[in-house]
Amino acid sequence: MPVWVRVAIRRPGASSTVETSAKLNTGFTIGPEPFIRLPRRVAELLGFDVEQGELLTGISDAGGRPLPVYRLGVVEVRVLVPDRETSWVRAVAVLTGAPSVLLNDVLIEELGLVPEKPGSGLWRFSDEPPNRLRQSARPEYHG
């Protein structure tokens, strides 16, 4: 089971948020910036015009095949857990047509997330001791 966390996503300066689960993917590397892949439905709930996304070139999937990725704009993301308040982190929102929210390696690090046992879905925050393991959130798909 991959690691999933509950997140809140908003446009900078907005008071409304979208809450959902997001999958951590250390293999999702587009560049040196934090990126979050949004499904079309979530992007539209955040107010993005998905038809106006900027096509990013030179991006391929894990198999080396070209992957159409559209840059939507900037969002703010924070992790939702019951025992602490986390900070908002800015990320570039992209659209690929996939049905789940996906956090890239840079965003994972900036959010302070450490996937400890990805096969079991266990994770922790980087400022927590290694024995403080948290369970993955329930996966959500926005098809």
Side-chain angles (χ1 to χ4, degrees), residues 1-2 17 43 46 50 63 65 71 75 89 94-95 104 116:
M1 170 182 190
T17 64
L46 290 166
V50 296
R65 298 173 297 267
R71 184 185 193 282
V75 295
V89 173
V94 296
L95 178 82
N104 84 328
E116 282 289 336

Side-chain angles (χ1 to χ4, degrees), residues 19-137:
E19 293 184 10
T20 186
S21 61
K23 187 178 354 178
L24 280 59
N25 185 342
T26 60
F28 175 29
T29 303
I30 293 181
E33 296 179 81
F35 280 88
I36 182 170
R37 181 188 72 195
L38 301 177
R40 176 180 288 269
R41 184 167 153 244
V42 173
E44 290 170 345
L45 286 171
L46 290 166
F48 286 110
D49 180 351
V50 296
E51 303 306 323
Q52 296 300 314
E54 170 195 354
L55 179 63
L56 301 176
T57 58
I59 298 174
S60 29
D61 66 13
R65 298 173 297 267
L67 181 65
V69 175
Y70 296 89
R71 184 185 193 282
L72 300 174
V74 176
V75 295
E76 295 174 326
V77 183
R78 73 182 186 99
V79 180
L80 300 173
V81 289
D83 60 330
R84 70 193 281 177
E85 184 80 15
T86 62
S87 299
W88 290 99
V89 173
R90 286 194 175 215
V92 176
V94 296
L95 178 82
T96 66
S100 62
V101 175
L102 190 70
L103 310 180
N104 84 328
D105 50 2
V106 177
L107 183 54
I108 292 166
E109 188 171 316
E110 289 196 15
L111 289 168
L113 303 172
V114 179
E116 282 289 336
K117 295 186 175 188
S120 303
L122 300 175
W123 65 279
R124 66 180 176 86
F125 286 106
S126 58
D127 63 354
E128 294 177 324
N131 63 345
R132 171 63 169 104
L133 298 180
R134 296 172 180 266
Q135 297 286 327
S136 276

